[in-house]
Amino acid sequence: MTDPAEAGGGALPGARFSQMAHWGMYSAEVRDGEVVAAHPFAGDSDPSPILQNIPGSVRHRSRIAGPAIRRGWLEHGPGPSSDRGSDEYVAVSWDELTELLATELKRVAERHGNRAIFGGSYGWSAPGRFHHAQSQVHRFLKMFGGYTRSVHSYSLGATGVIMPRVVGAHWKLFARSTNWDVIARETDLLVSFGGVPLKNTGVNDGGTSDHPTRSALDRMRERGGRIVSISPLRDDVHGEHEWLAPRPGSDVAIMLALAYVLAREDLADRGFLDRYCTGYDKFEDYLFGRTDGVVKTPEWAADLSGLPAGTLVDLARRMASGRTLISVTWSLQRVRHGEQAPWAGITLAAMLGQIGIPGGGFGHGYGSMNEPGRAPVPYPLPTLFQGNNEVDDFIPVAAISDLLLHPGEEFDYDGRRLTFPDTRLVYWAGGNPFHHHQHLARLRRALTRPDTIVVHDPYWTQMAKHADIVVPSTTALERDDLSCTRNDPLLVAMQAATPRFAGARDDYDTFSALAHRLGFGERFTEGRTSAEWLEHLYAQWRGYVLADDRRIEDPPPFAEFWRRGHVRMRTEDDLTLFEEFRADPENNPLRTPSGRIEIFSADIDSFGYDDCGGHPTWYEPEEWLGSERAQQFPLHLIANQPKSRLHSQLDHGATSQKSKIHGREPIRIHPGDAAGRGISHGDVVRVHNDRGSCLAGAVLDDGLLRGVVQLATGAWYDPLDPADPDSMCVHGNPNVLTPDTGTSSLAQGCTGQHVLVEIERFDGELPPVRAYDPPTILPRRP
Ligand SMILES: Nc1nc2c(c(=O)[nH]1)N[C@H]1C(S)=C(S)[C@@H](COP(=O)(O)OP(=O)(O)OC[C@H]3O[C@@H](n4cnc5c(=O)[nH]c(N)nc54)[C@H](O)[C@@H]3O)O[C@H]1N2
Ligand SMILES: Nc1nc2c(c(=O)[nH]1)N[C@H]1C(S)=C(S)[C@@H](COP(=O)(O)OP(=O)(O)OC[C@H]3O[C@@H](n4cnc5c(=O)[nH]c(N)nc54)[C@H](O)[C@@H]3O)O[C@H]1N2
Ligand SMILES: [Mo]
């Protein structure tokens, strides 16, 4: 195993280490304890530009150099505080941190019960099967007696609840999706709602060794396949394609009109609908207006979407005339009523009758992530055992502010009434709510409520700056780990490339020390060092592979694997989503009440929600250009994933910094919308609505629908006045503007993708960006 001290200390100038980031496999070139270059893996056909954010990241000034306690908390003890976000910190020793944190965890558990600990701790942290921060914090808190957890993700809040009810699972849609090779070979027409943005396919939760999307789409087009991209942004598909730019948020209306044309012109596959689906009749009644008096004609959808009715009629006919794949990106479900788009999309695909046929049917997440379209591996992943959570309480993940602001209140979720527990301690490791959550002024008020907030992070993010107990973590570059995912052929050695930064510790070591102090150290560590854990997890995984007769390579013993850097696994190539269901629906039923695709769900219908009924339905959103609110805030902001980084991670890196304008996050504006406001390319603008405001740098671009602006997530929140929760963000974080509203009573998912705003040129003196500066840290006085 590489000794980090030896490797990084300058003894081996330019030494290279095998590493994995969520955006790809690379080798880290290290000099004097810092990464100086990130070289993409030679086997990667289209490496992600985000790799170039890595050099310089280990010793960046925003690193947390040692354990720190918020001054007010240290002086006055635990309790609600509005000083979070503007207080000073006091540097403490690791022993003192462990003692204070253990004592506080015990106090809260004994006085208020473990349900008063919120350990949902959402976030992506770093790849690695062992040092993965979520796995570590959840294992620790479970052994401590449990915690209130969160369910599902910001990625797939609506899909995670609706798709199990419609097709019996949601993970299958990605993990066993129709492969890129099959699409390249078979698909005639790819109708893609939200495009297939390559920027997103760079990324995979847990990393990736290849980026095949660009070449797959190129091969499909060379064969004569066509791509229709339905999206407000032209560059959501690279290269040649037909671009239809509807009003954002109108996709379900478009899908219903396409379905209506198929039904009216007798182009729907009745045989498929009868054998594989349930409830089509009820849906057809709705299409023809028999239930609500509104016929879902192309003219009706044209009014809502702005796409000409004739275009929709043509598209429906083309879809029925060849091998058609309907793809819905995840962004379409990260909006109000986000349950409807994937449900309507799969219903439309069912009407075409090509689900389970190579190159036809349905896809969800092509262009959202690297995984969809990639062949799965047939083995379980090396996995750190988690144990059971003795607390039953949970929240849908995006209800974090509601949880803290409304203890004891009831709310709807997936057919149940749940109650928010009274939270006293918030424990976060591996995520950044100031990146991921909406309506940050509201989040800041929510974060004044708990007695104690604990944050583990390598960097002084705003979440760390709102914590009472700040625990400095290492980055993936400072520790050995294993990485692999369910849809990539390589198991990769992540070799520590640099020594641990200053006073940072692996999350595992922090939790081990706490567990020992709290009396369950042996149970938590099982007597293993992290190096021993890696060998243990590797051996477990090696057993799975060796048991497979069709393996393509014998995984070597651990030491040899470590030297080589990776092992190749067998993949299940040429997969088509739901092929086994299509071949034999009686023996391979879906895990739905009917065993079929539920175009009508009696269960959902029985919940009686007014914002999610029994079949795919058009609901008018609040934040869209068709609403009254648009008279006050006439621009529709798309707050999508950043091209230049992963979320908020390494926002200070080269690729991310290069994209900024006067140090602010770029906002794309149509020249027509800019002209009316006196805005030129390169100006700093103020983006605002009734929830907040931020500065951003104007980029004029005619590849947007008029009335639409685009500002990606991920600029570190940087309030002009840190003490004021309503302060303007001077850096360009769109979540000061977005609504903190659930998708519906069913899933309560995140709706951060869409928000109405107004924009004006900012002519004031430009405030400095201080987002990456650490807070004031005082020495500990005896
Ligand atoms: N408006 C709007 N908001 C959105 C979205 C949107 O479309 N629009 N998208 C949403 C989506 S899909 C997602 S997934 C979320 C993402 O939200 P997050 O996953 O919370 O964002 P990240 O920036 O990846 O945060 C990961 C944090 O982990 C830290 N970290 C890295 N390695 C380690 C480690 O080893 N240990 C510890 N303890 N910490 C580590 C990083 O420094 C970083 O602060 O954002 C959501 N927010
Ligand atoms: N580079 C990079 N890649 C990433 C991430 C990242 O942070 N950076 N994050 C990863 C994560 S965690 C996730 S969950 C996925 C998210 O994957 P997605 O949610 O699919 O990604 P987005 O970029 O937010 O949205 C995709 C596109 O949908 C389009 N769109 C937005 N609103 C509408 C609409 O109303 N109708 C239509 N038809 N189109 C619309 C936008 O133009 C946008 O570019 O991305 C992953 N990939
Ligand atoms: Mo996500």
Side-chain angles (χ1 to χ4, degrees), residues 199-200 230 236 249 251 331 334 368 641-642 645 647 754:
K199 70 177 176 70
N200 291 349
I230 300 172
D236 275 338
D251 300 87
S331 54
R334 205 174 303 110
S368 297
Q641 311 294 320
R645 61 186 169 261
H647 310 144
H754 287 179

Side-chain angles (χ1 to χ4, degrees), residues 580-603:
E580 69 297 339
F581 168 62
R582 184 178 190 111
D584 186 353
E586 281 71 37
N587 287 308
N588 302 312
L590 302 179
R591 289 171 183 263
T592 56
S594 61
R596 302 172 178 197
I597 299 170
E598 303 229 332
I599 295 175
F600 178 83
S601 161
D603 285 340

